[in-house]
Amino acid sequence: MSNVIRNIRIGGITNIAEVSVPLEALTALVAPNNYGKSNVLQGVEFAVRFLTATPQERRGMMAQRKLIPINQSMDNRPFEFEISGTAAGYDYEYGYRFEWATTKEGLTGQRITGEWLRAKGTDEPTLERMQSQAGLSFAERGGGRRSQPKYRSLLKREGETEALMAPTPTSRCSKPLAVDGVTLALDRLGALDKLFFAALVRELQGLSVQRVNTLDNPDGIFSTPYPQGGTELYSTAMPRSGETGYFINSLRRLAPERYELLRSTLLQLIPDIEDFEPVQVDLSERADVPFQMPNTYYDIRVKERHNNQYTSINSVSTGCKKILWVLTMAMAASMNGVALLMFEELENSVHPRLLQSLLQVVDVLAGDTKVMTTSHSPFLVKYLRPERIYLGLPSPEGVADFRTIRPSKVKKVLQLASGEDTSVGEYLFEMMLDAEADQEMLDEYFVR
Amino acid sequence: MRQKRHVVIFVEGDTDKVFFDRLVQYYRQNSETPVASCEVRNLHGVSRYNGKLSGKLKGQIIPAAARKGMEVQAVCCSYDTDVFEYAERPVVDWKRVAAEVKRLGIKEFCEVKVEQMMEDWLLDDIKGVCSYLKLKKKPGSVQGQNGYERLQHLYKAANNVYVKGLGASALIGALDMGVIRDKRKETLKELEAVLGVKIEGSPGR
């Protein structure tokens, strides 16, 4: 994976004032219904799409009615997005800010007003190492104090048209860069020759996140007459809706080892399925024409333990279909360098006892791709480390307030949970539901 | 009439259930003395451990044993001393569990503390693991911070995914229990004593 993200911060969208989520292999956003879990996923997807949108598209995006915050405590709050991670040999923090469209007279809106990129080389020599190389003793180097390379600004923008960049590795961030209200400075940097951090800019422009809605009806997930776009017979590109069967067919042909891994994993997870294999039927007649219309029907056939024949995967249970879909998407995300894979309610249609195994498997198949899931299931959260759970806590303003447990409180919560013979995840879940605006307790136990 | 001795081993998950079933089988095949009647019960996690254990003993195990002319005379609880990434996380008060067992009239209670987790024990027979995974040779170093991660690393080398519990049955079936038992006999000493196992100099009853 060329771009490994560590943290996402998003705010000023729908009912999200500000949410900052450090990403581990698998992180969960847990909250009651209608709280704003999906808004976070939608917001992240929106923010990443904004990076590569055309100026025209951006103008439209900055006026998307269903995303503009209408909570009264968020009036005029700009949209803000920041991502941090490691890419192209840098630890980086990149973000931007824009004002939403407004209908109020005298106010301007629909314009990008801030942008920043700070970075430090991952193999940059630390002060300590340089001093050591210079022959300074441990004491002369300041004893036990450790120094870390500092982040430096490579790009700064405050306002619609004022952007500054660092032209060389040693110079200050002071060279003006022409931008406007619908242009990101990142667009301009991407077009420059000989930019010393061009590789980092390319990684940011190529940032990819994927949202999987496991609440969708699974009937249309696998079978499709032919994939959208492209003329290639097979492709392991990230499958779109309805292309899962096509993807698995392609996997078998183009990446047989991965296919075997997917297959053996599914058979382990669902012992009732004895075998499965992708199939395809070409419905078209071969003709000597300039363009042969692809008309191949892709499906998966499955042998269930107690059945006397194979059937289409559409005949198996909703849960089985969803599990295969989730596994396929995790593998596809890993193969396609997707930085973040987001599931809506991963637990949907999955037997509680299978959840622990599903979490393990998704973690492994997703590889370096970070996974974030929404959930309101105590069955799922009980299998997660408390630090990986972000709880939607009650807030007086009605905005989403996702927080995690304070590191200093983990031990105490573990003791309290044990006293009640319950798991930490379940205990936290109960705390979330019982919190009822007890702000003191929330502040004592949880941190944003 | 003196009732026949029956021993119950409580475990916390599918992997441990398969392992202890195989271990008991190994004892029966290799002990120089007769092994007590024994059953392995899976409590599926450690949440509400005391309540589940008590309920199963009272409601199912003790009456069923009595119907067969047996008496539950010993209870053994096996648990991992560390937890893997996706484990439940309550801390079980083992003194409370021991007191509950005593309250039910069961005389003997012992613990098997699996250091750090069951996967570490499975890796004691790394040759067997590699053979099961059809790895031509054992990798020079097996990466991972714990047994689960190290086993996952080996599975990855074999283009496979280790799923705790579900994937353990076939693996454990392929391992040499003698190798594992020899390496862990100190930890298993109490269990072997309550079962009446005697293997080449093991203390037995």
Side-chain angles (χ1 to χ4, degrees), chain A residues 25-26 257 260-261 264-265 268-269 353-354 356-357 359-361 363-365 382-386 388 414 418 421-424 426, chain B residues 14 44 46-51 84-92 96 148 152 155-156 159-168:
Chain A
L26 202 152
E257 279 210 350
E260 277 308 321
L261 182 61
S264 64
T265 306
Q268 268 195 87
L269 271 185
R353 199 163 277 174
L354 205 55
Q356 187 181 29
S357 303
L359 291 172
Q360 289 176 59
V361 165
D363 184 346
V364 174
L365 293 185
K382 75 178 186 178
Y383 296 122
L384 294 176
R385 272 199 284 125
R388 290 183 170 205
L414 183 62
S418 303
D421 255 351
T422 189
S423 71
V424 176
E426 286 172 297
Chain B
D14 295 333
H44 298 287
V46 287
S47 290
R48 294 174 286 280
Y49 193 95
N50 212 23
F84 88 116
E85 184 65 37
Y86 297 106
E88 294 178 73
R89 286 171 171 77
V91 177
V92 178
R96 221 176 113 211
Y148 170 78
Q152 197 64 268
Y155 267 66
K156 191 176 178 187
N159 193 38
N160 210 331
V161 176
Y162 172 68
V163 187
K164 196 174 169 74
L166 296 173

Side-chain angles (χ1 to χ4, degrees), chain A residues 104-223:
Chain A
K104 193 170 178 179
E105 223 171 288
L107 286 181
T108 52
Q110 245 172 321
R111 57 190 189 130
I112 299 165
T113 56
E115 198 174 351
W116 56 95
L117 173 60
R118 293 182 283 267
K120 62 181 182 184
T122 49
D123 54 359
E124 222 165 81
T126 61
L127 178 63
E128 192 179 42
R129 206 176 303 148
M130 286 190 286
Q131 286 171 332
S132 169
Q133 282 162 357
L136 296 180
S137 69
F138 181 73
E140 286 167 329
R141 296 200 310 260
R145 280 187 294 129
R146 287 182 169 275
S147 60
Q148 293 292 329
K150 285 182 183 160
Y151 278 92
R152 55 184 295 246
S153 276
L154 302 181
L155 166 69
K156 262 193 297 200
R157 173 181 184 173
E158 282 300 334
E160 191 173 340
T161 54
E162 298 276 322
L164 301 168
M165 62 169 281
T168 69
T170 50
S171 55
R172 297 174 61 131
C173 185
S174 55
K175 186 178 174 187
L177 195 65
V179 286
D180 60 43
V182 287
T183 306
L184 284 170
L186 206 62
D187 305 342
R188 295 278 185 252
L189 293 174
L192 291 179
D193 286 333
K194 295 179 184 170
L195 182 70
F196 74 93
F197 55 98
L200 176 57
V201 171
R202 277 196 300 275
E203 289 293 346
L204 289 169
Q205 289 177 318
L207 181 68
S208 166
V209 299
Q210 189 77 34
R211 185 157 64 113
V212 179
N213 191 352
T214 55
L215 300 171
D216 280 351
N217 180 347
D219 287 346
I221 294 171
F222 292 94
S223 311

Side-chain angles (χ1 to χ4, degrees), chain A residues 5 17 26 37 46 52 54 100 159 190 196 207 239 259 269 300 312 342 362 369 385 402 407 410-411 417 423 432:
Chain A
I5 53 177
L26 202 152
K37 302 183 294 291
F46 170 87
T52 50
T54 63
W100 293 102
F196 74 93
L207 181 68
Y259 167 73
L269 271 185
I300 310 287
S312 163
M342 302 179 288
V362 167
T369 298
R385 272 199 284 125
F402 284 98
V410 172
K411 207 172 166 184
S423 71
M432 174 187 83

Side-chain angles (χ1 to χ4, degrees), chain A residues 415-447:
Chain A
Q415 286 167 348
L416 292 170
S418 303
E420 292 191 13
D421 255 351
T422 189
S423 71
V424 176
E426 286 172 297
Y427 189 84
L428 289 173
F429 196 84
E430 290 298 324
M431 272 179 104
M432 174 187 83
L433 297 178
D434 290 346
E436 291 294 333
D438 180 352
Q439 208 58 41
E440 209 172 299
M441 188 273 277
L442 298 185
D443 292 338
E444 185 189 347
Y445 280 90
F446 299 100
V447 63

Side-chain angles (χ1 to χ4, degrees), chain B residues 8 20 35 38 40 56 87 89 101 114 134-135 147-148 158 181:
Chain B
V8 187
F20 278 94
V35 176
C38 172
V40 181
K56 286 203 188 303
R89 286 171 171 77
V101 169
V114 179
K134 297 187 177 65
L135 289 172
Y148 170 78
R181 185 263 168 191

